[in-house]
Amino acid sequence: MHFLNLSERQQGILRFIVEFMHLHHYAPTIRQIGETVAISSTSVVKYNLNKLQEYGLILRERDISRGLSVNWEQLQQSGYPYELNGESVRGRQREERLPEADVERLRVPLLGKIAAGTPIAVTPSEVYDPEGWIELAAGMVAGPADKLFALRVQGDSMIDASVLDGDIVILRHQETAYDGDMVAAWIEGDEETTLKYFHRDGASVRLVPANPNPVYQPIVRAAEQVRINGKVVSVIRLLR
Amino acid sequence: MHFLNLSERQQGILRFIVEFMHLHHYAPTIRQIGETVAISSTSVVKYNLNKLQEYGLILRERDISRGLSVNWEQLQQSGYPYELNGESVRGRQREERLPEADVERLRVPLLGKIAAGTPIAVTPSEVYDPEGWIELAAGMVAGPADKLFALRVQGDSMIDASVLDGDIVILRHQETAYDGDMVAAWIEGDEETTLKYFHRDGASVRLVPANPNPVYQPIVRAAEQVRINGKVVSVIRLLR
DNA sequence: TCATAACACGAACATTTGTGCGATGTCAAC
DNA sequence: GTTGACATCGCACAAATGTTCGTGTTATGA
């Protein structure tokens, strides 16, 4: 979706968000957006925000105050006129990545384990003690080196994804996915975490194992039952 | 204020905030912080957050949900440990690290494809004509970083090793193996290349698939029939 | 022209989330 | 032992903030 094909309001909203996030270091609320873009109803803002999210330009997390972020890469590709904001989108991106100044080497936090029977704790509830960091060459992940984290696979339950006990899975944190993405998802009802290829079938979701052997079957669940934890960008197996 | 001079709780809080913001693109709430750092009272979190703000490490805006941001510059100067097991990484230490770059990053030649039906022909001379190079962090391979080469898997024939089409296998060139090593081997008679765990049974060799699913069975062959091409040290899968 | 989808409105609502404050615990200085 | 700074705890509270829903309004196309 090209920037200029957005509705006027959506352009305004996007511009404001970019500007706001540049000024503060957090996102605006829908009310703040509404005020500056002259939208009286919060629901209208939400409506347009949803559109922007559909276009992949922003990312929003449900029920989270200011849980709004900009997909900078997508924004650039949309032909966003970032000169208008005084500073470039690139500048902003650099700022975001300050913690990883080294472009060629990535440091990805190893946040815990992933196993079939237990949900991934994106926000671990125990005493905070990350297990460490994984060093990667930048080429080891496709796409932006952003929102990445690593999990160690525990048990052979993900073998249908050709992922073995002890493997390390590199994920990009996101709660939505596109068809063909391999995702880590928690399936409510089944109460299990799984690694599968994601396909949307209307209101339901089809999760297809990577291993084409027919002993491993796709599963289909209602979309609401499937909670995506992240997109798998890489799997690494270290043999002794 | 140096990072290590912070109270344990403050260190935990700071660490959590940094990682949280790395994953999401917004700040955590004081409650989320409290849960992960095992602080039961929101006011205690606030108290420590105030401290961190006094030290200039974070910035907070009153009454704003998640209106919390990190002062990255200050953080770096505080000696924040991006590597938890090693010593802290400061901007100044960069130059010292540069000479070590060769040690920390590996370039492994990509020598071709590996498929079930064709033997791997790796002669030392071919090393000089690779299809490309794979950049790895040193931690991606165990053991010495010599005699390494990479092959791209073609086809689903190695699925019994939980290795998929397109995966990259990092091998160390060697013609013998110890029990328990995963090897790439050409089996004469069967005329095929396979990736399996190597076990010696007297005069014969037992090759065990990594996938324990009984549809994949070990094979036993006379030792002379099994030509080892190398030991698998790593398997890497890149998803788009 | 009519149906339909896309867009907009506003108010009610439910949560999420930060703040305030009195009470308690700890520890070193006097 | 008393004092006081510092750190902690619970909990009540109010403000901040996203969502839902019934109802208009405006395009779009057959």
Side-chain angles (χ1 to χ4, degrees):
Chain A
M1 171 64 79
H2 193 279
F3 182 76
L4 295 175
N5 291 127
L6 297 172
S7 81
E8 201 158 311
R9 279 190 157 171
Q10 283 157 14
Q11 289 186 24
I13 289 174
L14 203 47
R15 277 227 265 282
F16 172 62
I17 293 173
V18 169
E19 214 167 308
F20 186 98
M21 295 193 72
H22 204 175
L23 223 50
H24 313 73
H25 283 211
Y26 45 82
T29 67
I30 56 177
R31 264 164 259 259
Q32 284 176 316
I33 295 171
E35 281 162 27
T36 47
V37 194
I39 295 177
S40 61
S41 170
T42 56
S43 61
V44 176
V45 177
K46 181 190 162 85
Y47 174 85
N48 285 287
L49 249 26
N50 281 144
K51 288 291 174 197
L52 290 175
Q53 184 168 23
E54 279 174 30
Y55 304 148
L57 291 164
I58 65 171
L59 215 67
R60 235 158 84 79
E61 223 138 332
R62 201 191 148 82
D63 289 331
I64 300 293
S65 296
R66 299 170 186 271
L68 170 58
S69 53
V70 176
N71 184 339
W72 299 102
E73 312 244 330
Q74 196 71 40
L75 189 69
Q76 289 205 30
Q77 286 170 23
S78 80
Y80 179 83
Y82 41 80
E83 301 81 21
L84 294 183
N85 288 304
E87 285 179 65
S88 73
V89 172
R90 283 185 184 282
R92 168 68 186 177
Q93 252 185 324
R94 181 150 239 112
E95 194 178 322
E96 287 275 342
R97 290 198 190 172
L98 240 176
E100 283 116 345
D102 201 330
V103 184
E104 305 210 299
R105 219 171 40 197
L106 297 175
R107 227 186 308 266
V108 177
L110 180 59
L111 292 187
K113 295 181 167 63
I114 177 174
T118 53
I120 301 172
V122 176
T123 304
S125 51
E126 285 303 303
V127 175
Y128 191 60
D129 183 28
E131 299 183 21
W133 302 77
I134 305 283
E135 297 261 351
L136 294 177
M140 290 295 99
V141 296
D146 204 23
K147 294 191 172 192
L148 295 176
F149 65 103
L151 297 172
R152 187 180 298 279
V153 175
Q154 194 169 43
D156 279 332
S157 55
M158 313 247 166
I159 214 160
D160 61 318
S162 276
V163 171
L164 299 175
D165 188 26
D167 286 3
I168 287 170
V169 183
I170 311 288
L171 296 149
R172 179 171 294 118
H173 179 69
Q174 57 187 51
E175 305 203 330
T176 54
Y178 296 105
D179 276 16
D181 286 356
M182 168 162 272
V183 298
W186 170 256
I187 303 172
E188 278 167 30
D190 300 9
E191 303 303 292
E192 78 164 34
T193 299
T194 186
L195 295 178
K196 294 216 170 47
Y197 282 106
F198 176 92
H199 290 277
R200 183 143 215 139
D201 276 352
S204 61
V205 163
R206 190 160 34 93
L207 297 172
V208 182
N211 188 328
N213 190 311
V215 300
Y216 305 113
Q217 285 293 314
I219 64 174
V220 178
R221 293 288 179 279
E224 315 86 62
Q225 276 182 72
V226 177
R227 269 200 48 200
I228 294 173
N229 297 116
K231 172 182 169 177
V232 179
V233 296
S234 186
V235 178
I236 294 168
R237 180 174 311 148
L238 297 159
L239 292 294
R240 315 136 297 153
Chain B
M1 172 63 80
H2 192 280
F3 183 77
L4 295 176
N5 291 127
L6 297 172
S7 79
E8 201 158 313
R9 277 187 159 173
Q10 283 157 16
Q11 289 186 23
I13 289 174
L14 203 47
R15 275 219 281 270
F16 173 62
I17 293 172
V18 168
E19 277 197 35
F20 188 97
M21 297 193 72
H22 175 86
L23 279 189
H24 315 73
H25 275 183
Y26 46 81
T29 66
I30 55 177
R31 265 164 257 259
Q32 285 177 314
I33 295 171
E35 280 164 29
T36 45
V37 194
I39 296 177
S40 61
S41 171
T42 56
S43 59
V44 175
V45 177
K46 182 188 159 90
Y47 174 85
N48 285 288
L49 248 26
N50 281 144
K51 288 291 175 197
L52 290 174
Q53 186 168 22
E54 280 174 25
Y55 305 147
L57 290 165
I58 65 171
L59 212 68
R60 235 157 85 80
E61 215 135 338
R62 202 192 146 81
D63 289 331
I64 300 293
S65 294
R66 299 171 185 271
L68 171 57
S69 54
V70 176
N71 185 340
W72 299 105
E73 299 196 8
Q74 197 69 39
L75 188 69
Q76 296 237 343
Q77 285 170 23
S78 80
Y80 179 85
Y82 280 112
E83 292 176 68
L84 295 184
N85 42 358
E87 70 276 36
S88 47
V89 176
R90 291 179 232 210
R92 300 190 197 99
Q93 286 183 336
R94 265 272 197 69
E95 311 93 52
E96 295 178 51
R97 300 186 133 250
L98 269 175
E100 295 175 326
D102 294 344
V103 184
E104 299 195 332
R105 210 178 320 143
L106 298 176
R107 294 183 78 200
V108 177
L110 180 60
L111 294 187
K113 296 185 166 61
I114 176 174
T118 53
I120 308 171
V122 183
T123 56
S125 60
E126 272 183 85
V127 171
Y128 300 107
D129 185 25
E131 294 183 8
W133 297 85
I134 306 285
E135 296 261 351
L136 293 177
M140 292 294 100
V141 295
D146 63 335
K147 295 190 175 182
L148 294 177
F149 64 103
L151 296 172
R152 174 167 271 116
V153 175
Q154 192 168 45
D156 280 333
S157 56
M158 314 248 166
I159 213 158
D160 62 315
S162 275
V163 171
L164 299 175
D165 189 25
D167 286 3
I168 288 171
V169 182
I170 312 289
L171 296 147
R172 178 172 296 117
H173 182 68
Q174 58 187 54
E175 305 200 333
T176 56
Y178 296 107
D179 276 17
D181 285 357
M182 168 163 271
V183 297
W186 170 257
I187 304 172
E188 280 169 24
D190 300 7
E191 303 302 296
E192 78 165 32
T193 299
T194 186
L195 295 178
K196 294 217 171 43
Y197 282 108
F198 176 92
H199 290 279
R200 185 145 212 135
D201 276 352
S204 61
V205 163
R206 188 161 35 94
L207 297 172
V208 182
N211 189 329
N213 190 311
V215 300
Y216 305 112
Q217 285 293 315
I219 63 174
V220 178
R221 293 292 180 277
E224 316 84 61
Q225 278 181 69
V226 178
R227 280 191 102 87
I228 294 173
N229 298 115
K231 172 183 170 177
V232 180
V233 296
S234 183
V235 178
I236 294 168
R237 181 174 309 150
L238 275 66
L239 292 293
R240 311 143 301 151

